């Protein structure tokens, strides 16, 4: 089968490698263009591009995947199937119509719930106990196409974005391979989605990670777990922007809401309901540090005595 693979972030890489392992190496791998990143604005290869360099596959990184010249290039490859895993651009109808068997997408939610760009984050933010992985045939609407296969994924009480990505990848890889086998054999049975049950996730921005300590500790704990490493969970304190990298829920506190205090070796931030006990924290421009280091470096002696 002649497959063209579309993917960009680290989440896409295990799916690409699985295709190769199963003897279905893509004839072309399409990824987003490499972008500058970090303080020095150095060009960073996408995770898929890095993987492809090691695997020796042909690559393309169009600025606009729907450009007419690129579409003509794809048509000349006579693909049987497109496989899309977190690519990052919307594919036009003209592009979706190219492959003989259609375009398959891996979406890490139990569609039609959590359509859009941030399904894993939303599942954690809402305190869900389960989500899923869906293999679907793409159409021109976002995460709207008919479902080929689905499987439920359970969330732990302390689930993080990283751990949930691992779970959905573990479930999603064999599910994708099974769907491809069914399409090739002509036994796939696509099922239309129930649009009345659809929910759309929000596009995350840097401001999405702002912590509002007038909320409950439970909701803030979920925000830390859902939005680390990007955009990060952060707050402003004494003119500093500070990220909370890991934390857990503490008991209620009578201290000032949102004001970090030290209790023995614990760094505590009171919330409207309960408190966050911070384990790993990162002031702007500094490396991540454990709570005792932050207490010693940033809290005065009087701060440490507050109760």
């Amino acid at each position: 089968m002649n497959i063209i693979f579309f993917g960009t972030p680290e989440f896409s890489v295990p799916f690409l490698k699985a295709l190769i392992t199963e003897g279905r190496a893509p004839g072309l791998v399409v990824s987003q263009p490499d972008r500058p990143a970090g303080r020095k604005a150095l060009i960073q290869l996408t995770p898929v591009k890095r993987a492809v360099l090691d695997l020796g596959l042909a690559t393309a990184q169009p600025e606009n995947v729907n450009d007419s010249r690129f579409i003509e290039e794809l048509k000349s490859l006579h693909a049987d199937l497109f496989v899309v895993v977190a690519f990052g651009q919307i594919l036009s109808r003209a592009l979706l119509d190219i492959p003989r068997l259609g375009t398959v997408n891996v979406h890490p939610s139990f569609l039609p719930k959590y359509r859009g760009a941030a399904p894993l984050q939303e599942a954690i933010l809402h305190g869900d106990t389960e989500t899923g992985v869906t293999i679907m045939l793409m159409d021109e609407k976002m995460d709207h196409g008919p479902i080929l296969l689905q499987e439920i994924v359970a969330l732990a009480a302390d689930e993080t974005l990283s751990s949930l990505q691992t779970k959905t990848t573990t479930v999603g890889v064999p599910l994708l391979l099974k769907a491809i086998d069914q399409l090739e054999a002509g036994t796939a049975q696509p099922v239309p989605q129930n649009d009345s049950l659809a929910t759309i996730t929000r596009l995350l921005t840097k401001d999405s990670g702002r912590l509002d300590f007038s909320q409950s500790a439970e909701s803030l704990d979920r925000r830390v777990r859902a939005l680390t490493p990007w955009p990060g969970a952060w707050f402003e304190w004494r003119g500093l922007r500070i990220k909370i990298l890991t934390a857990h829920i503490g008991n209620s506190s009578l201290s000032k809401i949102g004001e970090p205090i030290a209790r023995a070796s614990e760094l505590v931030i009171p919330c409207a309901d309960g408190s966050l006990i911070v384990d790993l924290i990162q002031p702007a421009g500094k490396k991540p540090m454990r709570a005792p280091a932050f207490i010693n470096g940033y809290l005065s002696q009087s701060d440490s005595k507050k109760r």
Side-chain angles (χ1 to χ4, degrees):
M1 183 185 288
N2 183 8
I3 293 175
I4 295 179
F5 182 87
F6 296 73
T8 299
E10 196 65 47
F11 182 78
S12 312
V13 174
F15 294 90
L16 173 60
K17 291 184 175 180
L19 290 174
I20 297 168
T21 300
E22 293 297 312
R24 296 188 179 280
L28 178 68
V29 175
V30 185
S31 185
Q32 290 267 47
D34 303 323
R35 307 288 189 192
R39 288 186 173 185
K40 296 183 179 179
L42 299 177
I43 297 296
Q44 298 282 330
L45 302 183
T46 72
V48 164
K49 177 66 174 296
R50 289 198 303 268
V52 167
L53 291 177
D54 294 334
L55 299 169
L57 301 176
T59 63
Q61 293 180 279
E63 194 70 41
N64 177 9
V65 74
N66 297 303
D67 180 84
S68 59
R69 289 170 297 180
F70 187 65
I71 288 178
E72 289 304 313
E73 181 182 336
L74 291 180
K75 285 180 179 178
S76 71
L77 299 177
H78 306 290
D80 296 303
L81 184 70
F82 288 173
V83 174
V84 180
V85 185
F87 174 56
Q89 293 187 38
I90 296 173
L91 276 60
S92 67
R93 169 52 65 184
L95 196 150
L96 294 172
D97 284 342
I98 292 174
R100 177 175 62 89
L101 296 175
T103 300
V104 168
N105 176 241
V106 179
H107 188 75
S109 80
F110 206 80
L111 289 173
K113 190 173 185 179
Y114 298 146
R115 292 176 178 176
L120 296 178
Q121 294 91 332
E122 289 291 345
I124 297 173
L125 286 170
H126 284 85
D128 293 352
T129 58
E130 62 182 30
T131 183
V133 178
T134 301
I135 313 298
M136 55 173 281
L137 286 171
M138 294 181 68
D139 60 21
E140 64 272 24
K141 297 181 181 180
M142 182 179 63
D143 301 329
H144 172 273
I147 293 168
L148 296 172
L149 295 169
Q150 287 184 301
E151 190 167 328
I152 290 173
V153 176
L155 272 72
D158 60 350
E159 200 75 65
T160 66
L161 178 59
S162 176
S163 65
L164 189 53
Q165 285 174 331
T166 299
K167 284 182 178 181
T168 51
T169 298
T170 301
V171 169
V173 165
L175 210 60
L176 171 64
L177 297 175
K178 182 178 180 180
I180 292 174
D181 288 343
Q182 290 180 352
L183 286 167
E184 187 174 38
T187 59
Q189 297 181 346
V191 177
Q193 294 186 42
N194 185 345
D195 282 352
S196 68
L197 300 177
T199 58
I200 307 297
T201 64
R202 301 161 292 176
L203 183 65
L204 295 176
T205 67
K206 288 184 178 181
D207 199 52
S208 301
R210 182 190 292 270
L211 297 174
D212 178 1
F213 293 100
S214 66
Q215 298 177 356
S216 70
E218 182 179 358
S219 66
L220 294 175
D221 171 63
R222 292 199 300 260
R223 188 162 294 275
V224 171
R225 291 187 281 112
L227 302 184
T228 300
W230 195 91
W234 57 273
F235 66 102
E236 291 183 345
W237 177 73
R238 297 182 181 177
L240 287 174
R241 177 172 288 202
I242 299 176
K243 284 186 178 180
I244 297 179
L245 304 179
T246 60
H248 59 279
I249 299 171
N251 295 326
S252 59
S253 172
L254 298 177
S255 301
K256 183 179 178 182
I257 288 176
E259 184 69 21
I261 59 175
R263 288 183 174 170
S265 60
E266 286 188 338
L267 178 61
V268 180
I269 305 181
C271 309
D273 180 10
S275 61
L276 274 187
I277 300 178
V278 179
D279 303 307
L280 192 63
I281 193 166
Q282 184 177 17
K286 303 293 183 180
K287 294 181 178 180
M289 60 183 69
R290 294 288 175 184
F294 182 86
I295 291 169
N296 291 335
Y298 288 85
L299 292 182
S300 68
Q301 192 126 24
S302 59
D303 291 322
S304 302
K305 293 179 179 178
K306 288 180 181 178
R307 295 292 187 270

